Amino acid sequence: MFTDALLSGLTMGGMYALIAMGLTLQYGVSRIMNLAYGEFVIGASFIAYVLFVSIGINPLLSLLIIAPLSFAISWLVYRVLLTPLVNRAKTPEALEIDSILSTFGLLFILQGIMLIFFGGNYTSYTYLNVPVDLLGTIIAANKLIVLGFATVIGVSFYLFLVKTRTGTAMRAVAVDPVAAGLVAIDVRWAATLAFALGGVLATTGGVLVSMFLTFNANIGVVFTMKALIVVIMGGAGNVMGAMIAGLVLGLAEAFVATYIDPGLTIASTYAIFLTILLFKPQGIFGRAAS
Amino acid sequence: MNITRDFYITLLSGAFVFLLLSAVPLVVDGYGLSLSIGLANYTILATAWALFSGPTRYISLATVAFYGIGVYTVAVLGEHLPWVLVMVIGVANGVILALIVGLSTLRLAGIYFVIFTFGLTEFIRQIVIWYEVNISGSLGRYVFLEITQEQIYWQLLALMAALFATAFLITRSRLGFALRIIGGDETVAKHMGIDTTRVKLGLFVLSTMFMTIAGIIMAPRWTYIDPSIAFNPQISFQVLVMALLGGMKRFWGPLLGVIPLFMLFEYLNANFPNHFLLLLGIIFMMIVYVLPNGVSGLLERINIPDRVKFWKKQTGGVTP
């Protein structure tokens, strides 16, 4: 039972970490609190589902279509919808409020479109659902693949941010957009790129989610909520923090579901969130309060 | 002298309007009454929402959490205790929740508050479902109370009158002045010796109290109550859109959003139930991009004298 909970906790935690990394990029670098984030996740799940069921494209291969597509769409969303708000805002707080309201509207539009096409029913498909014996417990092969993929993508993104020039530029914008502009970083470009890459991480997470979970058109907000909690736990804009906090959240949920009551997983998520807000609002790995 | 006279004129004309409104059940049919109840309910929720979120700019997505607490208190206790006592307990529950939320988030930046309220409704709903399934053993509850639709309407009207009076008095009090400063610049407010956290917390509790009471009054309308009815997140979102459309700079602003949108939502829900969410999103976006200050902000901009417009241009928005 313990290894069971550990493995499913690691899988879910890996998913949360991956998805939250995208949100922390969008919030930390682009300064956009994207409440429609979970809709991007679930939108990708639905596209992967349609591609698999109708044409038989393997979900991992469909990433090759979905990732560039979501990059382009997120780029457009930032340029068309959010740039006017960035230009209009007099203070960072005003931008925060405007972006929340605008992406809140986007949430309804995306959710409304998905409801029209797919209805409110739970959807799933079976892909590689074969049992594998690991450390004495049985686990589905698709979950192992998801865990592996989440790790590879998460680590390569982290390396991209830490080791490359572009990644460093984006981190500089996260620290101080004005100072970043002074050292010849194109802040607008970095913010757009971060938003688009955040969208790619969201949809990648969505494709992986569709491989082993059932989902419906209304479930996006749950992913947004959990990603937000992970972002706050890890400290806004802190990618390493998001990865660790995501794993912590996944493990906490799995152990609460196994040992206490599956009905209380959301309550446990909230208990963690509340505790952090009360004692360390800048996040577990955050440096200074904002 | 003039200010005092204006004060009494506003109070008197307000009282007169409410007197007229209280005669509505005598002239309309059943459908008209149910529309009036809906309108009164949303007016209370949107005005109470703007009472806190307008001056502080803390966006609450959890209106229905407090409303639902009121509804559920009636569902659990309504048949066992006298009505007044049910109300007192319901309000106490709401206040406790508001204190927990406020104390943990209001001393932080607004973003934490938004995120927290974003999930609060879902969290409470899960807890109630868990409790009902595991401990009381049934998901829904039946409530049979001898309260007529007319009585619900009159109670709502009384609550609305109290809310408008409170909002009006706040704008004229020291508290209202402190709030305008906090809304302008919180750091400045702190340096002037305003205890910003306490002001925000007090206002939040006050605003959510009205939401809770609205839930208590509305609960007898349903004979069957379950968590997904009491804690329907759509209510929070609709209240937010209504208040935004109306504008929050004046206490009567939300009313201008409630009336058109309530009618529109009734129409959309009846005719396009499958496209409702999509249309709601489009309305939302249009308000954010086209009418960022709401209808009342627009009216104000038209009514501003040229002299003030000139000053605003010269000083970059600061009026003398």
Side-chain angles (χ1 to χ4, degrees):
Chain A
M1 207 152 108
F2 178 81
T3 26
D4 248 5
L6 185 71
L7 277 175
S8 77
L10 280 177
T11 315
M12 277 321 287
M15 291 304 317
Y16 292 152
L18 189 67
I19 291 171
M21 266 172 75
L23 191 68
T24 209
L25 265 186
Q26 291 190 342
Y27 183 56
V29 182
S30 324
R31 312 275 153 155
I32 299 290
M33 180 43 83
N34 183 3
L35 289 188
Y37 190 75
E39 269 50 46
F40 283 84
V41 175
I42 294 304
S45 301
F46 273 115
I47 294 176
Y49 162 78
V50 168
L51 289 177
F52 183 72
V53 174
S54 62
I55 331 178
I57 296 180
N58 169 339
L60 294 172
L61 278 179
S62 73
L63 268 178
L64 293 177
I65 307 167
I66 293 174
L69 188 70
S70 68
F71 185 88
I73 293 176
S74 306
W75 186 284
L76 273 179
V77 166
Y78 188 81
R79 275 292 149 102
V80 177
L81 281 181
L82 300 169
T83 308
L85 298 181
V86 177
N87 293 337
R88 175 170 105 187
K90 292 197 186 86
T91 59
E93 289 79 34
L95 175 61
E96 214 153 63
I97 292 170
D98 273 351
S99 65
I100 284 170
L101 293 175
S102 159
T103 55
F104 201 47
L106 189 61
L107 182 165
F108 291 132
I109 292 178
L110 294 177
Q111 202 178 334
I113 292 172
M114 286 193 279
L115 273 175
I116 291 168
F117 278 104
F118 302 100
N121 296 330
Y122 276 93
T123 312
S124 66
Y125 59 89
T126 331
Y127 172 71
L128 275 184
N129 198 7
V130 284
V132 176
D133 197 325
L134 187 78
L135 304 171
T137 39
I138 308 293
I139 183 171
N142 53 16
K143 279 196 180 183
L144 275 183
I145 293 176
V146 164
L147 184 55
F149 249 76
T151 316
V152 170
I153 296 171
V155 170
S156 39
F157 244 89
Y158 180 73
L159 290 177
F160 162 72
L161 283 173
V162 178
K163 298 284 179 199
T164 66
R165 250 183 108 79
T166 316
T168 311
M170 290 197 319
R171 284 186 301 130
V173 174
V175 174
D176 189 335
V178 179
L182 291 178
V183 293
I185 293 169
D186 185 346
V187 175
R188 186 59 55 86
W189 166 81
T192 316
L193 183 64
F195 194 84
L197 287 177
V200 171
L201 281 171
T203 49
T204 307
V207 172
L208 295 181
V209 161
S210 75
M211 288 170 58
F212 73 107
L213 286 180
T214 57
F215 50 92
N216 70 7
N218 298 315
I219 214 168
V221 279
V222 175
F223 282 99
T224 312
M225 194 61 227
K226 286 184 178 166
L228 284 172
I229 291 176
V230 171
V231 169
I232 300 278
M233 274 166 77
N238 186 335
V239 176
M240 190 50 133
M243 286 169 79
I244 294 171
L247 283 174
V248 169
L249 184 67
L251 287 170
E253 277 188 9
F255 279 101
V256 167
T258 313
Y259 289 103
I260 304 174
D261 189 323
L264 287 178
T265 47
I266 292 195
S268 67
T269 312
Y270 246 76
I272 296 174
F273 187 42
L274 197 65
T275 320
I276 288 171
L277 277 189
L278 283 173
F279 298 107
K280 230 170 171 312
Q282 68 274 31
I284 307 175
F285 311 100
R287 276 176 296 264
S290 56
Chain B
M1 231 12 232
N2 230 347
I3 293 173
T4 326
R5 204 184 60 197
D6 280 358
F7 176 73
Y8 286 117
I9 289 175
T10 315
L11 275 193
L12 274 178
S13 47
F16 183 66
V17 169
F18 274 100
L19 202 67
L20 279 183
L21 284 176
S22 67
V24 164
L26 307 176
V27 287
V28 296
D29 58 354
Y31 178 67
L33 184 60
S34 112
L35 269 188
S36 315
I37 290 177
L39 262 176
N41 182 37
Y42 274 103
T43 306
I44 292 168
L45 293 178
T47 311
W49 185 89
L51 183 69
F52 171 72
S53 297
T56 58
R57 302 298 270 160
Y58 277 65
I59 297 167
S60 165
L61 300 174
T63 306
V64 83
F66 297 96
Y67 183 79
I69 290 273
V71 173
Y72 236 83
T73 309
V74 177
V76 176
L77 299 173
E79 289 184 339
H80 310 292
L81 294 174
W83 186 237
V84 179
L85 204 58
V86 173
M87 247 188 199
V88 172
I89 296 174
V91 170
N93 288 341
V95 168
I96 292 169
L97 179 66
L99 284 175
I100 295 173
V101 176
L103 283 174
S104 48
T105 55
L106 285 179
R107 69 207 156 82
L108 306 172
I111 194 87
Y112 295 98
F113 180 79
V114 180
I115 295 171
F116 193 78
T117 56
F118 186 49
L120 183 67
T121 311
E122 184 59 24
F123 167 64
I124 294 178
R125 203 165 61 100
Q126 296 279 344
I127 295 272
V128 172
I129 291 175
W130 182 83
Y131 180 87
E132 295 284 59
V133 169
N134 289 292
I135 293 169
S136 67
S138 73
L139 196 52
R141 284 169 183 271
Y142 289 91
V143 188
F144 297 104
L145 292 174
E146 288 189 18
I147 296 179
T148 63
Q149 299 291 311
E150 283 86 357
Q151 284 167 336
I152 291 178
Y153 176 75
W154 282 319
Q155 287 182 72
L156 284 176
L157 210 59
L159 182 63
M160 199 155 97
L163 174 57
F164 274 107
T166 311
F168 177 58
L169 291 175
I170 284 180
T171 54
R172 300 176 60 95
S173 65
R174 276 172 67 89
L175 177 64
F177 193 48
L179 280 171
R180 280 199 290 281
I181 300 171
I182 294 177
D185 190 326
E186 194 164 335
T187 319
V188 171
K190 273 185 192 152
H191 281 275
M192 290 170 74
I194 298 170
D195 187 343
T196 53
T197 305
R198 241 171 76 188
V199 169
K200 284 187 284 188
L201 187 65
L203 197 67
F204 184 58
V205 170
L206 189 69
S207 135
T208 55
M209 215 165 8
F210 282 101
M211 298 171 183
T212 316
I213 300 176
I216 297 171
I217 295 174
M218 290 291 278
R221 279 195 93 197
W222 303 281
T223 40
Y224 173 81
I225 295 173
D226 71 19
S228 58
I229 295 175
F231 296 99
N232 174 10
Q234 289 284 331
I235 297 177
S236 298
F237 306 152
Q238 292 184 12
V239 165
L240 174 59
V241 188
M242 288 169 176
L244 281 181
L245 175 65
M248 298 170 289
K249 293 239 169 85
R250 293 282 177 270
F251 71 88
W252 42 263
L255 188 62
L256 301 179
V258 170
I259 297 170
L261 283 184
F262 179 77
M263 293 302 181
L264 181 66
F265 290 157
E266 279 284 306
Y267 173 76
L268 292 180
N269 251 331
N271 295 293
F272 306 97
N274 295 327
H275 298 76
F276 182 73
L277 215 53
L278 177 61
L279 294 167
L280 179 68
I282 293 172
I283 295 170
F284 214 110
M285 294 287 252
M286 269 163 39
I287 294 171
V288 174
Y289 286 96
V290 184
L291 273 179
N293 289 318
V295 177
S296 67
L298 192 71
L299 289 179
E300 223 158 68
R301 216 165 61 207
I302 296 167
N303 276 330
I304 291 174
D306 287 342
R307 174 175 53 86
V308 181
K309 270 186 197 154
F310 175 75
W311 262 105
K312 277 197 164 171
K313 218 171 173 182
Q314 297 293 307
T315 56
V318 184
T319 38

